[in-house]
Amino acid sequence: MLPDYRVRQRDFLLEISRAMTAQLELSEVLRLVLNASVVMLGGQVGLIALRDSNGLYRVRATMGMENDLVPILNQQLRELFKSVGRDPDPEMLNEKLREMVVALDRRLRQFINLPLVIAGQPLGMLIVFRSYRGSATTNDLQILESFADQAAIAVHNAQLYEKIDQDRRRLAAILENSADGIMILDSELRINSFNRALERMTGCSAREAVGRHQDEVIVWKRLDNGDLKSALQEGWPFRISSDEHVETLYVEGDLLRRDGLTLSIGITYAPLLGSDGQLANIIANVRDITHFRKAQEMQSVFISTVSHELKTPVALIKGYAGTLRREDAMWDPEVIRNGLAVIEDEADRLTILIEDLLETSKLQAQRMELDLSDVHLDQLAAQCVERFRTQTDIHEFILNFPANFPVIQGDEARLRQVLDNLVSNAIKYSPDGGTIEVGGEADDETVTVYVRDEGIGLSESEQERIFERFYRVDDTLRRTTQGAGLGLYLAKTIISAHNGALRVKSKLGHGATFYFTIPQQ
Ligand code: ADP
């Protein structure tokens, strides 16, 4: 027959180990351990303090003591360990603890302290206080030890669990907040997780996506190369590459979003194999490649426009030069003059195009610099109109500036370039002629200059894009008129460098008004 207290001890231990296997809630296990220890030792008060990652002791469970004592105890423990060091001599520690406790409550005369240790590492301590004098017996210590062991295992497990949980949460936060779309698929290609960036890209919420087959969520409008399913059928990811690394798979195309729009994306699939060597999961990294595609598109538009723009004047120059040079022909001075004039004009056009291109590429690397001086925009506009008047006989020009138009601070050459571009566009894009009005308005702080034509005009969607580099509206007229789509881009950049804004008001088929507003200073 076991003595009575042994039976109780066994019952307590059973209860504690059941709690430990049933749940990993550390505070609950600590409470049970403390309760068993205090009851078994006939004590009144007890506490469990655990060491945190900084080596500081903090009270994590108490029994028979007021809650508001906890912060005081924590403070005293901190000071106590400061005075005895991190790994104190047990005798000295006990002495200090005793002083601390007596100071707290005079009735607590005796205390039994046991360190919680696992694999030689101190995790904390378990202390039971009794109100009678005397020291703890070996039996007391044995009882306490059995509980302390349980507590140490529970603390250790909880710490491991906490660490795993923390790693898991950290990883989940990285996935969730990644700018790339990330989803995890199981081996059947069902979606296990789906992050926020993917919600934005697909227009499908994580709640809807998780549990579905990836093909229900990633719907391709157009695929550029093979897809995941056919790669799997061909044996991916088990074709081991030469360096023995499992290959990732890259798939690219246009995704059909929930709202019917499309988005260019590239997906990198990385396999995750289980310990049995079988495919356990596939991690898919989804990237929005719209910008990349746009840049590619722009590059090809750039090459075709620029080569076209270079070819035309060069062909004209070569044609005229060849004709004039013919030795078997005697040309009138008039013909020669005209021919040379064409050669000169075309050479000028080439120079302007090359300057625009150089300027554009420079602007991508640095901000535009201005050479400031007093600028009379009304006079500049009048000179510009005079220059262009000679180039067309189907347009009528009107200048409309109030008297005493303010003189502003600006870069004269650049502002002339803006006006030239706007007026030359007004002529180019009103092929049936009409009136072109160049005018200005001013208030106390700003001036506004506009160029209005009665030409083909622009739709609203075109109005948004014409200020982009190399953008030209794609219709027959623009295909036959010359231009590299740089004029308005440069004009807008020049006006922005003057802290101003260049805008357009237009209706398709009803002419266009380009106007810029800049501060006078
Ligand atoms: P470019 O004239 O060399 O094509 P711009 O940058 O000056 O380049 O103009 C971009 C596009 O804006 C033009 O191709 C044309 O489609 C449109 N655009 C510019 N000015 C006008 C205008 N006054 N009326 C109608 N469309 C215009």
Side-chain angles (χ1 to χ4, degrees), residues 425 428-429 453 458 466 471-473 478 483-485 487-488 514:
N425 278 352
K428 271 202 300 196
Y429 302 110
D453 65 57
L458 289 151
I466 50 172
Y471 184 81
R472 307 196 73 210
V473 177
R478 312 285 152 157
L488 287 180
F514 284 83

Side-chain angles (χ1 to χ4, degrees), residues 169-197:
R169 271 182 293 148
R170 199 177 304 148
L171 206 63
I174 293 173
L175 292 189
E176 192 54 21
N177 298 314
S178 156
D180 281 349
I182 297 173
M183 62 178 172
I184 302 176
L185 309 176
D186 65 14
S187 55
E188 306 289 316
L189 308 191
R190 267 188 309 264
I191 298 172
N192 285 352
S193 93
F194 196 80
N195 76 346
R196 217 175 298 159

Side-chain angles (χ1 to χ4, degrees), residues 169-389:
R169 271 182 293 148
R170 199 177 304 148
L171 206 63
I174 293 173
L175 292 189
E176 192 54 21
N177 298 314
S178 156
D180 281 349
I182 297 173
M183 62 178 172
I184 302 176
L185 309 176
D186 65 14
S187 55
E188 306 289 316
L189 308 191
R190 267 188 309 264
I191 298 172
N192 285 352
S193 93
F194 196 80
N195 76 346
R196 217 175 298 159
L198 255 183
E199 289 185 330
R200 276 197 302 272
M201 290 183 195
T202 57
C204 177
S205 72
R207 198 139 39 90
E208 287 172 274
V210 169
R212 285 183 193 249
H213 192 278
Q214 80 136 5
D215 289 354
E216 291 179 65
V217 180
I218 305 292
V219 183
W220 296 104
K221 174 95 178 277
R222 191 177 60 87
L223 254 176
D224 291 351
N225 41 19
D227 65 346
L228 176 61
K229 234 201 269 160
S230 35
L232 284 167
Q233 277 160 7
E234 286 164 20
W236 183 84
F238 296 105
R239 292 160 308 182
I240 302 293
S241 63
S242 53
D243 60 359
E244 298 266 315
H245 276 110
V246 187
E247 293 167 37
T248 55
L249 174 74
Y250 183 69
V251 171
E252 188 178 301
D254 288 340
L255 171 81
L256 186 62
R257 292 169 38 101
R258 274 288 166 90
D259 55 13
L261 298 177
T262 54
L263 182 76
S264 302
I265 57 167
I267 308 185
T268 307
Y269 293 102
L272 200 70
L273 304 186
S275 48
D276 55 359
Q278 296 296 311
L279 185 63
N281 288 107
I282 298 173
I283 320 283
N285 182 291
V286 188
R287 186 160 278 191
D288 178 350
I289 55 168
T290 316
H291 289 303
F292 176 65
R293 281 272 170 93
K294 230 171 150 182
Q296 269 182 331
E297 200 180 301
M298 204 143 129
Q299 194 178 16
S300 68
V301 169
F302 165 77
I303 292 171
S304 74
T305 345
V306 170
S307 49
H308 174 258
E309 284 303 299
L310 290 173
K311 245 171 34 203
T312 323
V314 170
L316 279 169
I317 291 172
K318 188 167 167 50
Y320 274 90
T323 311
L324 295 180
R325 211 176 137 261
R326 271 171 58 178
E327 277 157 17
D328 56 341
M330 288 290 291
W331 300 115
D332 283 355
E334 176 68 11
V335 173
I336 296 177
R337 218 180 358 258
N338 282 346
L340 290 176
V342 171
I343 291 177
E344 199 177 1
D345 282 352
E346 295 304 315
D348 284 348
R349 209 144 62 106
L350 277 178
T351 313
I352 292 175
L353 176 64
I354 290 165
E355 272 168 7
D356 282 357
L357 284 172
L358 287 177
E359 184 79 56
T360 303
S361 80
K362 208 165 86 188
L363 279 178
Q364 279 180 279
Q366 67 198 56
R367 231 183 106 83
M368 178 178 275
E369 276 174 25
L370 298 180
D371 182 8
L372 294 181
S373 65
D374 284 354
V375 180
H376 299 258
L377 277 170
D378 48 349
Q379 293 173 13
L380 223 53
Q383 291 161 5
C384 166
V385 165
E386 275 328 300
R387 259 195 321 274
F388 280 99
R389 212 192 281 279

